[in-house]
Amino acid sequence: MNTETAITDWLAAQRPAMLEMLREMVDTDSGSYNKKGIDAVGAIVSRFMASHGIKVETVAQQKHGDCLRALGSAKAASNRGNIVLMGHRDTVFPDGEATRRPFTIEGSRAYGPGVADMKAGLVMNAFILAAFEKFGGAPNPIVALFTGDEEIGSPEGRAVIEAEARKARAVFNSEPGRVSGNVVSGRKGGVFSAFSIEGKAAHSGGNFSDGISAIGELAHKIIALHALTDLEAGITVNVGLVAGGQSVNTVAPLATGQIDLRYVTAPQREAVMGAIEKIIRTATIPGTRATLEIRGEFLPMEHTPTAAKMLALYQDAAGATGFSPQGEFTGGCADSGFTAAVGAPTLCGVGPVGGKAHSPEEYLELDSLVPRAQALARAILRLDAAGI
Ligand SMILES: [Zn+2]
C-alpha cells in the first residue's frame, strides 16, 4: 500500500476519534478574552500530540491564549521550509455558552460554539499531523500552529504566525470551508480604528454660544468617512460604534467613534487610511480637535500567481478525494492575510465545511470532516508535483 492510501485510509477510520476530540473542544468555553479556557483547549491538543509522540512547544502569551507549535518529525527533503497548518482556538462566544449549548449532533450536522469556526479545523490539523507522523511521506516537516486570539485580530498571535510564515514552504489555514464547499483563495484586509473628538462644554440653554459641539463634528465626520466606501473597488468604511455627550442640556464636550475599513490591495489601504486620517484631523466645526488610533489590523490575501498555484494544488488533491471546490474571495479577515503578506504561499478555508459562524445556528457538515482531512493530506503529498 502506498503512503497516500495508508494516510487517507487511516484518516477515514479516525472519524469517531475526531468527533470525540471535537466534542471535548466545543464543550470547553474559549472566548477570546478567556485565557484559561483557550489554554484548556490547548491542553486537549497537547494531550493528543503526546499520545502520538509529537513534540509541542508553548509560546506563552500574556493576555490571550498561549500559542502552541506542534512539530512533526519528518526530515526535510529540501531546504524549502516547513509546511504550516494553522488554526485558532478562541471563539466569539461568552463564558457559559458551552453549557447552554453543548456539542450536539442532529442528522448530518453538528452544533455548538465554535464547532465550525474553527474547532473542527483544529481537530483536522491534529489528525493530519498524526497521520504523517505514523506513515511518513511529508516532503518537509509539518508544523501545526494552534493560536489563541484570532477573533480579535491576533494582537499577540500575529508575531508568532509571521515568524513561522517567513520560513514556510506553504501555509494552509483550516478556517471552515464555505457552505458551497469552496476554499478561500482571497481575502480583504481590515483596519479597526477608534477616534475621539474634543469640543467644549457649555449650558445649552444659558450660554449656548460658548459651547463647541463634539457631537456636531462627529456627525460631519461620519458622513465623510462613509463617503469613502467604494463598493466596486471593494473598499468599505463603516462607523460601527459611536458615543458622546454629557447631558441633554450640555453642548457635547466629547464624542467617540470606531471605524472598520475593509480593502483589497495594499495601495488601497494606504490611500484610504490617509483619507481617514485627514477627515479626523480636519475640523468642520471650528474649535474641535480629534485623534485617531489603530486598534487592530488584518492584512489582505491578494490574488497572486503563487495563490493560484496553491488553489490548483488543492483542487487536484480534492479531485482525487471526490469533490471539486472553487476558490472564493471573501470580505472576512483571517490570519491567512498575515502569512500571505510575508510572502508565504497560502490557502485558506481548507477546514471542514460549516456555516452561520459567530451565531447560535453555527453548524458543521459532519460528512466533510474526513474528506477535507484527506484532501489536505493529499495536497501536502503533492507539493513537489505542484512546483510549490
Ligand atoms: Zn475563524
Side-chain angles (χ1 to χ4, degrees):
M1 187 157 52
N2 71 19
T3 312
E4 183 170 310
T5 312
I7 286 176
T8 50
D9 283 359
W10 184 79
L11 286 171
Q14 298 310 304
R15 180 174 156 139
M18 289 183 194
L19 287 180
E20 231 7 82
M21 190 178 182
L22 181 58
R23 176 189 299 277
E24 195 182 351
M25 282 187 175
V26 171
D27 286 347
T28 305
D29 278 319
S30 62
S32 297
Y33 296 98
N34 176 358
K35 176 169 169 59
K36 228 177 111 201
I38 299 166
D39 287 340
V41 175
I44 300 171
V45 172
S46 297
R47 203 180 65 218
F48 175 88
M49 295 301 167
S51 73
H52 287 86
I54 299 165
K55 264 195 312 198
V56 179
E57 287 169 30
T58 301
V59 185
Q61 304 292 346
Q62 288 276 311
K63 290 196 205 137
H64 306 289
D66 294 339
C67 292
L68 301 185
R69 181 178 187 270
L71 176 63
S73 61
K75 294 269 178 299
S78 66
N79 58 358
R80 288 158 111 173
N82 297 328
I83 298 155
V84 179
L85 312 182
M86 290 208 305
H88 64 84
R89 313 196 305 280
D90 61 320
T91 74
V92 297
F93 297 102
D95 292 350
E97 189 84 2
T99 310
R100 280 191 294 278
R101 222 159 44 76
F103 180 84
T104 49
I105 293 177
E106 276 173 48
S108 62
R109 289 178 171 178
Y111 299 85
V115 68
D117 184 13
M118 58 171 285
K119 289 177 170 173
L122 301 179
V123 170
M124 187 189 83
N125 286 354
F127 277 83
I128 289 171
L129 197 56
F132 279 99
E133 201 62 19
K134 227 173 158 53
F135 300 103
N140 286 78
I142 301 176
V143 174
L145 283 185
F146 299 87
T147 58
D149 55 359
E150 191 270 350
E151 295 291 2
I152 50 170
S154 300
E156 289 186 314
R158 177 175 175 176
V160 177
I161 289 164
E162 287 178 337
E164 199 66 54
R166 281 195 190 95
K167 46 188 189 191
R169 176 176 181 178
V171 176
F172 297 95
N173 194 15
S174 301
E175 288 280 354
R178 307 282 102 182
V179 174
S180 55
N182 287 346
V183 292
V184 175
S185 52
R187 280 189 186 274
K188 285 189 181 180
V191 181
F192 306 125
S193 58
F195 61 94
S196 175
I197 305 167
E198 237 180 89
K200 187 164 175 273
H203 194 293
S204 57
N207 49 350
F208 179 86
S209 298
D210 281 356
I212 301 172
S213 175
I215 286 181
E217 180 65 19
L218 173 68
H220 287 293
K221 290 199 193 306
I222 293 170
I223 301 291
L225 289 164
H226 279 187
L228 297 173
T229 291
D230 180 347
L231 290 177
E232 221 151 275
I235 295 165
T236 57
V237 178
N238 179 56
V239 179
L241 286 169
V242 293
Q246 179 177 298
S247 72
V248 68
N249 57 350
T250 305
V251 176
L254 191 76
T256 58
Q258 293 192 35
I259 308 165
D260 174 9
L261 158 68
R262 303 289 166 120
Y263 63 93
V264 182
T265 67
Q268 285 179 341
R269 182 205 177 280
E270 294 320 303
V272 183
M273 278 313 293
I276 289 175
E277 278 159 19
K278 191 169 170 216
I279 288 167
I280 299 304
R281 222 174 30 232
T282 309
T284 305
I285 295 180
T288 59
R289 285 190 322 186
T291 53
L292 179 73
E293 178 200 8
I294 292 178
R295 293 264 177 95
E297 170 141 24
F298 274 112
L299 298 176
M301 254 178 89
E302 298 187 42
H303 284 301
T304 62
T306 313
K309 264 193 190 177
M310 286 292 282
L311 176 61
L313 161 69
Y314 188 82
Q315 286 176 315
D316 172 54
T321 310
F323 62 102
S324 346
Q326 301 297 309
E328 270 184 31
F329 184 83
T330 165
C333 297
D335 285 330
S336 43
F338 297 134
T339 62
V342 301
T346 299
L347 189 64
C348 196
V350 298
V353 174
K356 307 235 166 113
H358 297 199
S359 85
E361 290 84 41
E362 178 184 10
Y363 66 88
L364 171 75
E365 298 286 7
L366 285 169
D367 291 338
S368 72
L369 202 49
V370 168
R372 301 291 274 204
Q374 291 173 324
L376 183 47
R378 284 193 167 100
I380 291 169
L381 288 165
R382 294 168 186 216
L383 275 165
D384 285 339
I388 291 164

